[in-house]
Amino acid sequence: MSDFVGKGIRLEGSRPCEPRPAGTRALHLLLAVVLLLPAALRAETVDVLLAAATDAELQPLIKRLDTPRTETRASWTFWLGRLNGKAVVLTRTEGDPLNAVAATTLAIRRYAPQLVVTYGSARAHDPALQPGDVVVSRSFAAFDGLISDPLPLGGGSTPLTWQRLPHAPMTPGEKEQYTDEFPADPAALARAEKLQPARGKLVPGTLGSAPQINREADRIAWIHKTWHTSSEDAESAHIAGCAMLLRTPVIGLRVIDGTPEESAALALQFLEASK
């Protein structure tokens, strides 16, 4: 029927169809394209997404925002403004991988940042690290995937013999590719390696994360040996994996046993170095 209508042929009970003016057709086509664009493509873009676990780590940066405002998406708040000459958005991850991935995905889809920065404190896995040292991410490892050997009921548990179960991110063509690590952005890493910690030394390394708090020395040594992790936090590797899947560069900054003020100062120093 549409073919007949398009040619101006009158159907029973209808009015004669007349060709629309070219300008009207073009306007309707433009409106259709705009309405069909994904929300992410119509949204504003920012230079940097800054993700931290707690309000204490975010507030020193939020207080310095020029032209600040907030937006709420689902259950997450996003703080927007300008910081050190850059358009930024900040989000709180709650120190949990699930919340971190959700907040990061929402922010990337909504604000299309050119870089994701995950920052905060961490616990050391590398025995050479001391409180106040800074680890900048050469890579990230999510060490929450594990495979145990079969043992019968009453056979005990031998976690130091478990094996890695890497994540399997989806690649183009809907193919899973198992990977032990997620890479950091080389250009951002080059800037991060020039940062000056408030105390301690700066070390490029592998930021490890899992929803775990490991305090047993033997287990920490096992994770360090098995996953080659420098440090442990709850969410940085999951943020990095999310950014990789959404094709967004990412860098991680972690202060060993650091305070919120130290972590925030490090993030500000990185932004200053990125001018």
Side-chain angles (χ1 to χ4, degrees), residues 187-215:
L189 175 59
R191 296 195 298 273
E193 288 179 322
K194 299 176 182 178
L195 298 177
Q196 300 294 322
R199 54 190 178 108
K201 59 185 179 293
L202 185 143
V203 179
T206 299
L207 297 183
S209 68
Q212 303 171 10
I213 300 175
N214 290 292
R215 295 174 175 176

PDB file of all heavy atoms in Angstrom, residues 187-215:
ATOM      1  N   ALA A 187      49.537   7.224  27.342  1.00  0.00           N
ATOM      2  CA  ALA A 187      49.775   8.666  27.462  1.00  0.00           C
ATOM      3  C   ALA A 187      49.485   9.151  28.875  1.00  0.00           C
ATOM      4  O   ALA A 187      50.238   9.956  29.449  1.00  0.00           O
ATOM      5  CB  ALA A 187      48.918   9.427  26.449  1.00  0.00           C
ATOM      6  N   ALA A 188      48.385   8.669  29.460  1.00  0.00           N
ATOM      7  CA  ALA A 188      48.062   9.050  30.841  1.00  0.00           C
ATOM      8  C   ALA A 188      49.099   8.502  31.816  1.00  0.00           C
ATOM      9  O   ALA A 188      49.462   9.171  32.789  1.00  0.00           O
ATOM     10  CB  ALA A 188      46.672   8.546  31.206  1.00  0.00           C
ATOM     11  N   LEU A 189      49.588   7.292  31.550  1.00  0.00           N
ATOM     12  CA  LEU A 189      50.626   6.710  32.414  1.00  0.00           C
ATOM     13  C   LEU A 189      51.897   7.548  32.374  1.00  0.00           C
ATOM     14  O   LEU A 189      52.538   7.774  33.414  1.00  0.00           O
ATOM     15  CB  LEU A 189      50.919   5.277  31.979  1.00  0.00           C
ATOM     16  CG  LEU A 189      52.067   4.575  32.702  1.00  0.00           C
ATOM     17  CD1 LEU A 189      51.828   4.505  34.195  1.00  0.00           C
ATOM     18  CD2 LEU A 189      52.293   3.180  32.126  1.00  0.00           C
ATOM     19  N   ALA A 190      52.259   8.029  31.199  1.00  0.00           N
ATOM     20  CA  ALA A 190      53.467   8.854  31.083  1.00  0.00           C
ATOM     21  C   ALA A 190      53.346  10.115  31.933  1.00  0.00           C
ATOM     22  O   ALA A 190      54.319  10.545  32.565  1.00  0.00           O
ATOM     23  CB  ALA A 190      53.710   9.208  29.618  1.00  0.00           C
ATOM     24  N   ARG A 191      52.148  10.710  31.987  1.00  0.00           N
ATOM     25  CA  ARG A 191      51.948  11.891  32.842  1.00  0.00           C
ATOM     26  C   ARG A 191      51.946  11.502  34.315  1.00  0.00           C
ATOM     27  O   ARG A 191      52.499  12.210  35.155  1.00  0.00           O
ATOM     28  CB  ARG A 191      50.640  12.587  32.466  1.00  0.00           C
ATOM     29  CG  ARG A 191      50.614  13.163  31.059  1.00  0.00           C
ATOM     30  CD  ARG A 191      49.463  14.129  30.861  1.00  0.00           C
ATOM     31  NE  ARG A 191      48.157  13.506  31.023  1.00  0.00           N
ATOM     32  CZ  ARG A 191      47.486  12.899  30.058  1.00  0.00           C
ATOM     33  NH1 ARG A 191      48.015  12.804  28.838  1.00  0.00           N
ATOM     34  NH2 ARG A 191      46.284  12.395  30.274  1.00  0.00           N
ATOM     35  N   ALA A 192      51.315  10.368  34.618  1.00  0.00           N
ATOM     36  CA  ALA A 192      51.211   9.945  36.013  1.00  0.00           C
ATOM     37  C   ALA A 192      52.573   9.606  36.605  1.00  0.00           C
ATOM     38  O   ALA A 192      52.794   9.793  37.810  1.00  0.00           O
ATOM     39  CB  ALA A 192      50.279   8.741  36.118  1.00  0.00           C
ATOM     40  N   GLU A 193      53.482   9.107  35.795  1.00  0.00           N
ATOM     41  CA  GLU A 193      54.810   8.735  36.301  1.00  0.00           C
ATOM     42  C   GLU A 193      55.624   9.937  36.744  1.00  0.00           C
ATOM     43  O   GLU A 193      56.641   9.775  37.423  1.00  0.00           O
ATOM     44  CB  GLU A 193      55.566   7.962  35.224  1.00  0.00           C
ATOM     45  CG  GLU A 193      55.037   6.555  35.002  1.00  0.00           C
ATOM     46  CD  GLU A 193      55.775   5.803  33.917  1.00  0.00           C
ATOM     47  OE1 GLU A 193      56.144   6.444  32.892  1.00  0.00           O
ATOM     48  OE2 GLU A 193      56.003   4.600  34.070  1.00  0.00           O
ATOM     49  N   LYS A 194      55.175  11.153  36.406  1.00  0.00           N
ATOM     50  CA  LYS A 194      55.884  12.371  36.799  1.00  0.00           C
ATOM     51  C   LYS A 194      55.313  12.996  38.070  1.00  0.00           C
ATOM     52  O   LYS A 194      55.784  14.045  38.521  1.00  0.00           O
ATOM     53  CB  LYS A 194      55.841  13.384  35.662  1.00  0.00           C
ATOM     54  CG  LYS A 194      56.519  12.893  34.374  1.00  0.00           C
ATOM     55  CD  LYS A 194      56.375  13.892  33.250  1.00  0.00           C
ATOM     56  CE  LYS A 194      56.999  13.371  31.961  1.00  0.00           C
ATOM     57  NZ  LYS A 194      56.821  14.321  30.828  1.00  0.00           N
ATOM     58  N   LEU A 195      54.293  12.373  38.663  1.00  0.00           N
ATOM     59  CA  LEU A 195      53.686  12.920  39.865  1.00  0.00           C
ATOM     60  C   LEU A 195      54.649  12.841  41.054  1.00  0.00           C
ATOM     61  O   LEU A 195      55.530  11.979  41.101  1.00  0.00           O
ATOM     62  CB  LEU A 195      52.401  12.164  40.204  1.00  0.00           C
ATOM     63  CG  LEU A 195      51.284  12.230  39.153  1.00  0.00           C
ATOM     64  CD1 LEU A 195      50.102  11.372  39.584  1.00  0.00           C
ATOM     65  CD2 LEU A 195      50.852  13.669  38.906  1.00  0.00           C
ATOM     66  N   GLN A 196      54.454  13.737  42.010  1.00  0.00           N
ATOM     67  CA  GLN A 196      55.288  13.792  43.208  1.00  0.00           C
ATOM     68  C   GLN A 196      54.445  13.433  44.428  1.00  0.00           C
ATOM     69  O   GLN A 196      53.630  14.229  44.885  1.00  0.00           O
ATOM     70  CB  GLN A 196      55.879  15.201  43.372  1.00  0.00           C
ATOM     71  CG  GLN A 196      56.757  15.657  42.222  1.00  0.00           C
ATOM     72  CD  GLN A 196      58.028  14.829  42.113  1.00  0.00           C
ATOM     73  OE1 GLN A 196      58.621  14.449  43.129  1.00  0.00           O
ATOM     74  NE2 GLN A 196      58.450  14.537  40.883  1.00  0.00           N
ATOM     75  N   PRO A 197      54.608  12.227  44.969  1.00  0.00           N
ATOM     76  CA  PRO A 197      53.830  11.857  46.160  1.00  0.00           C
ATOM     77  C   PRO A 197      54.130  12.770  47.337  1.00  0.00           C
ATOM     78  O   PRO A 197      55.248  13.278  47.485  1.00  0.00           O
ATOM     79  CB  PRO A 197      54.294  10.418  46.446  1.00  0.00           C
ATOM     80  CG  PRO A 197      54.873   9.924  45.156  1.00  0.00           C
ATOM     81  CD  PRO A 197      55.466  11.124  44.491  1.00  0.00           C
ATOM     82  N   ALA A 198      53.125  12.968  48.181  1.00  0.00           N
ATOM     83  CA  ALA A 198      53.327  13.784  49.379  1.00  0.00           C
ATOM     84  C   ALA A 198      54.324  13.139  50.317  1.00  0.00           C
ATOM     85  O   ALA A 198      55.063  13.816  51.036  1.00  0.00           O
ATOM     86  CB  ALA A 198      51.990  13.998  50.085  1.00  0.00           C
ATOM     87  N   ARG A 199      54.359  11.830  50.340  1.00  0.00           N
ATOM     88  CA  ARG A 199      55.338  11.066  51.124  1.00  0.00           C
ATOM     89  C   ARG A 199      55.555   9.745  50.382  1.00  0.00           C
ATOM     90  O   ARG A 199      54.678   9.243  49.709  1.00  0.00           O
ATOM     91  CB  ARG A 199      54.835  10.808  52.548  1.00  0.00           C
ATOM     92  CG  ARG A 199      53.471  10.159  52.605  1.00  0.00           C
ATOM     93  CD  ARG A 199      52.884  10.132  54.013  1.00  0.00           C
ATOM     94  NE  ARG A 199      51.548   9.542  54.023  1.00  0.00           N
ATOM     95  CZ  ARG A 199      51.270   8.346  54.517  1.00  0.00           C
ATOM     96  NH1 ARG A 199      52.236   7.594  55.052  1.00  0.00           N
ATOM     97  NH2 ARG A 199      50.022   7.884  54.512  1.00  0.00           N
ATOM     98  N   GLY A 200      56.707   9.213  50.491  1.00  0.00           N
ATOM     99  CA  GLY A 200      56.969   7.936  49.838  1.00  0.00           C
ATOM    100  C   GLY A 200      57.378   8.080  48.384  1.00  0.00           C
ATOM    101  O   GLY A 200      57.578   9.176  47.861  1.00  0.00           O
ATOM    102  N   LYS A 201      57.460   6.940  47.710  1.00  0.00           N
ATOM    103  CA  LYS A 201      57.928   6.891  46.324  1.00  0.00           C
ATOM    104  C   LYS A 201      56.777   6.575  45.384  1.00  0.00           C
ATOM    105  O   LYS A 201      55.698   6.148  45.814  1.00  0.00           O
ATOM    106  CB  LYS A 201      59.011   5.819  46.177  1.00  0.00           C
ATOM    107  CG  LYS A 201      58.571   4.403  46.569  1.00  0.00           C
ATOM    108  CD  LYS A 201      59.726   3.421  46.501  1.00  0.00           C
ATOM    109  CE  LYS A 201      59.298   2.005  46.913  1.00  0.00           C
ATOM    110  NZ  LYS A 201      58.935   1.953  48.351  1.00  0.00           N
ATOM    111  N   LEU A 202      57.009   6.781  44.093  1.00  0.00           N
ATOM    112  CA  LEU A 202      56.031   6.463  43.058  1.00  0.00           C
ATOM    113  C   LEU A 202      56.494   5.234  42.296  1.00  0.00           C
ATOM    114  O   LEU A 202      57.658   5.154  41.879  1.00  0.00           O
ATOM    115  CB  LEU A 202      55.832   7.650  42.116  1.00  0.00           C
ATOM    116  CG  LEU A 202      54.746   7.491  41.050  1.00  0.00           C
ATOM    117  CD1 LEU A 202      54.019   8.808  40.817  1.00  0.00           C
ATOM    118  CD2 LEU A 202      55.327   6.972  39.724  1.00  0.00           C
ATOM    119  N   VAL A 203      55.575   4.278  42.106  1.00  0.00           N
ATOM    120  CA  VAL A 203      55.908   3.014  41.452  1.00  0.00           C
ATOM    121  C   VAL A 203      54.860   2.686  40.399  1.00  0.00           C
ATOM    122  O   VAL A 203      53.671   2.605  40.719  1.00  0.00           O
ATOM    123  CB  VAL A 203      55.956   1.858  42.476  1.00  0.00           C
ATOM    124  CG1 VAL A 203      56.282   0.542  41.783  1.00  0.00           C
ATOM    125  CG2 VAL A 203      56.967   2.148  43.576  1.00  0.00           C
ATOM    126  N   PRO A 204      55.232   2.498  39.140  1.00  0.00           N
ATOM    127  CA  PRO A 204      54.283   1.950  38.163  1.00  0.00           C
ATOM    128  C   PRO A 204      54.077   0.470  38.455  1.00  0.00           C
ATOM    129  O   PRO A 204      55.033  -0.247  38.758  1.00  0.00           O
ATOM    130  CB  PRO A 204      54.986   2.157  36.820  1.00  0.00           C
ATOM    131  CG  PRO A 204      56.128   3.086  37.092  1.00  0.00           C
ATOM    132  CD  PRO A 204      56.520   2.865  38.515  1.00  0.00           C
ATOM    133  N   GLY A 205      52.845   0.002  38.406  1.00  0.00           N
ATOM    134  CA  GLY A 205      52.597  -1.399  38.730  1.00  0.00           C
ATOM    135  C   GLY A 205      51.208  -1.834  38.316  1.00  0.00           C
ATOM    136  O   GLY A 205      50.540  -1.178  37.513  1.00  0.00           O
ATOM    137  N   THR A 206      50.775  -2.942  38.881  1.00  0.00           N
ATOM    138  CA  THR A 206      49.468  -3.525  38.573  1.00  0.00           C
ATOM    139  C   THR A 206      48.527  -3.304  39.747  1.00  0.00           C
ATOM    140  O   THR A 206      48.778  -3.801  40.850  1.00  0.00           O
ATOM    141  CB  THR A 206      49.595  -5.029  38.278  1.00  0.00           C
ATOM    142  OG1 THR A 206      50.432  -5.223  37.148  1.00  0.00           O
ATOM    143  CG2 THR A 206      48.228  -5.637  37.998  1.00  0.00           C
ATOM    144  N   LEU A 207      47.474  -2.550  39.508  1.00  0.00           N
ATOM    145  CA  LEU A 207      46.462  -2.330  40.532  1.00  0.00           C
ATOM    146  C   LEU A 207      45.512  -3.520  40.532  1.00  0.00           C
ATOM    147  O   LEU A 207      44.836  -3.796  39.543  1.00  0.00           O
ATOM    148  CB  LEU A 207      45.686  -1.042  40.261  1.00  0.00           C
ATOM    149  CG  LEU A 207      46.483   0.267  40.295  1.00  0.00           C
ATOM    150  CD1 LEU A 207      45.549   1.452  40.068  1.00  0.00           C
ATOM    151  CD2 LEU A 207      47.232   0.416  41.607  1.00  0.00           C
ATOM    152  N   GLY A 208      45.478  -4.252  41.660  1.00  0.00           N
ATOM    153  CA  GLY A 208      44.577  -5.391  41.781  1.00  0.00           C
ATOM    154  C   GLY A 208      43.320  -5.003  42.516  1.00  0.00           C
ATOM    155  O   GLY A 208      43.336  -4.151  43.404  1.00  0.00           O
ATOM    156  N   SER A 209      42.201  -5.624  42.138  1.00  0.00           N
ATOM    157  CA  SER A 209      40.974  -5.346  42.878  1.00  0.00           C
ATOM    158  C   SER A 209      40.070  -6.566  42.928  1.00  0.00           C
ATOM    159  O   SER A 209      40.067  -7.413  42.037  1.00  0.00           O
ATOM    160  CB  SER A 209      40.215  -4.149  42.281  1.00  0.00           C
ATOM    161  OG  SER A 209      39.696  -4.454  41.014  1.00  0.00           O
ATOM    162  N   ALA A 210      39.315  -6.630  44.025  1.00  0.00           N
ATOM    163  CA  ALA A 210      38.321  -7.674  44.278  1.00  0.00           C
ATOM    164  C   ALA A 210      37.510  -7.227  45.489  1.00  0.00           C
ATOM    165  O   ALA A 210      38.002  -6.446  46.311  1.00  0.00           O
ATOM    166  CB  ALA A 210      38.988  -9.020  44.560  1.00  0.00           C
ATOM    167  N   PRO A 211      36.280  -7.715  45.629  1.00  0.00           N
ATOM    168  CA  PRO A 211      35.500  -7.384  46.835  1.00  0.00           C
ATOM    169  C   PRO A 211      35.978  -8.215  48.019  1.00  0.00           C
ATOM    170  O   PRO A 211      35.257  -9.061  48.553  1.00  0.00           O
ATOM    171  CB  PRO A 211      34.059  -7.723  46.416  1.00  0.00           C
ATOM    172  CG  PRO A 211      34.216  -8.792  45.391  1.00  0.00           C
ATOM    173  CD  PRO A 211      35.490  -8.484  44.656  1.00  0.00           C
ATOM    174  N   GLN A 212      37.206  -7.970  48.405  1.00  0.00           N
ATOM    175  CA  GLN A 212      37.852  -8.728  49.474  1.00  0.00           C
ATOM    176  C   GLN A 212      38.695  -7.777  50.330  1.00  0.00           C
ATOM    177  O   GLN A 212      39.154  -6.742  49.846  1.00  0.00           O
ATOM    178  CB  GLN A 212      38.782  -9.812  48.894  1.00  0.00           C
ATOM    179  CG  GLN A 212      38.114 -10.798  47.951  1.00  0.00           C
ATOM    180  CD  GLN A 212      39.125 -11.698  47.244  1.00  0.00           C
ATOM    181  OE1 GLN A 212      40.313 -11.728  47.582  1.00  0.00           O
ATOM    182  NE2 GLN A 212      38.648 -12.436  46.254  1.00  0.00           N
ATOM    183  N   ILE A 213      38.895  -8.159  51.576  1.00  0.00           N
ATOM    184  CA  ILE A 213      39.866  -7.479  52.438  1.00  0.00           C
ATOM    185  C   ILE A 213      40.814  -8.554  52.934  1.00  0.00           C
ATOM    186  O   ILE A 213      40.493  -9.316  53.849  1.00  0.00           O
ATOM    187  CB  ILE A 213      39.184  -6.752  53.610  1.00  0.00           C
ATOM    188  CG1 ILE A 213      38.217  -5.691  53.080  1.00  0.00           C
ATOM    189  CG2 ILE A 213      40.229  -6.110  54.523  1.00  0.00           C
ATOM    190  CD1 ILE A 213      37.407  -4.992  54.165  1.00  0.00           C
ATOM    191  N   ASN A 214      41.960  -8.633  52.315  1.00  0.00           N
ATOM    192  CA  ASN A 214      42.920  -9.695  52.624  1.00  0.00           C
ATOM    193  C   ASN A 214      43.927  -9.206  53.663  1.00  0.00           C
ATOM    194  O   ASN A 214      44.611  -8.210  53.444  1.00  0.00           O
ATOM    195  CB  ASN A 214      43.634 -10.139  51.347  1.00  0.00           C
ATOM    196  CG  ASN A 214      42.702 -10.893  50.411  1.00  0.00           C
ATOM    197  OD1 ASN A 214      42.277 -12.001  50.716  1.00  0.00           O
ATOM    198  ND2 ASN A 214      42.351 -10.277  49.291  1.00  0.00           N
ATOM    199  N   ARG A 215      44.024  -9.943  54.772  1.00  0.00           N
ATOM    200  CA  ARG A 215      44.926  -9.568  55.862  1.00  0.00           C
ATOM    201  C   ARG A 215      45.870 -10.697  56.254  1.00  0.00           C
ATOM    202  O   ARG A 215      46.681 -10.537  57.168  1.00  0.00           O
ATOM    203  CB  ARG A 215      44.109  -9.125  57.083  1.00  0.00           C
ATOM    204  CG  ARG A 215      43.294  -7.843  56.825  1.00  0.00           C
ATOM    205  CD  ARG A 215      42.402  -7.508  57.993  1.00  0.00           C
ATOM    206  NE  ARG A 215      41.713  -6.246  57.796  1.00  0.00           N
ATOM    207  CZ  ARG A 215      40.805  -5.744  58.624  1.00  0.00           C
ATOM    208  NH1 ARG A 215      40.474  -6.419  59.730  1.00  0.00           N
ATOM    209  NH2 ARG A 215      40.221  -4.592  58.378  1.00  0.00           N
TER     210      ARG A 215
END
